[in-house]
Amino acid sequence: MVAFGEPAGKRIRDCKLVPVNLTMYFNGEEKLEKEKGLSHLKKIKVHQLAWKAYQQGGLLSYEDIESIFGISTSTIKRYVKQYKEKDIVVPTRGQIEDIGPGITP
C-alpha cells in the first residue's frame, strides 16, 4: 500500500510502501445487511477499510477499493460523496493526497 504522505504525481514504484492488514468482516454485518440492505453495508465497509489502511499509514485508491469489493469506481465516488455531505472523511489516496485514479500495489 502507498504510504500516507506520498505526493500526487510520484510514480507508484518510487513511493514508499507500507504493509496493511484489512479486515473484511465485522460483527453484526449480517444484521445490518438485513435491516439496511447490501448497498448500505458496502458503503460502511468502504469507509471502514479506508480508515483501517489510514490508521496503519497507508491509503487506498478508489481502484484499490474497486478490486477488493468488486464495485465500480462510480459507486465508490457516490459513497464518498454521501459521506462528505455529512462532513465524514473517507481517507482515500485521492481525498488525502488529491490524486487521480490508480491502483496501489
Side-chain angles (χ1 to χ4, degrees), residues 18-74:
V18 294
V20 296
N21 292 315
L22 301 175
T23 303
M24 296 296 295
Y25 175 82
F26 62 90
N27 288 331
E29 73 176 53
E30 293 91 359
K31 181 180 177 185
L32 184 62
E33 181 181 351
K34 184 178 178 183
E35 292 175 359
K36 301 274 186 162
L38 183 58
S39 180
H40 183 79
L41 177 62
K42 286 180 182 180
K43 179 178 161 183
I44 289 173
K45 290 180 106 170
V46 165
H47 183 256
Q48 177 188 23
L49 249 55
W51 273 103
K52 289 290 183 187
Y54 180 77
Q55 290 168 342
Q56 296 173 65
L59 292 169
L60 294 170
S61 70
Y62 287 0
E63 288 71 21
D64 294 329
I65 297 167
E66 176 184 42
S67 68
I68 292 168
F69 286 115
I71 55 178
S72 69
T73 54
S74 61

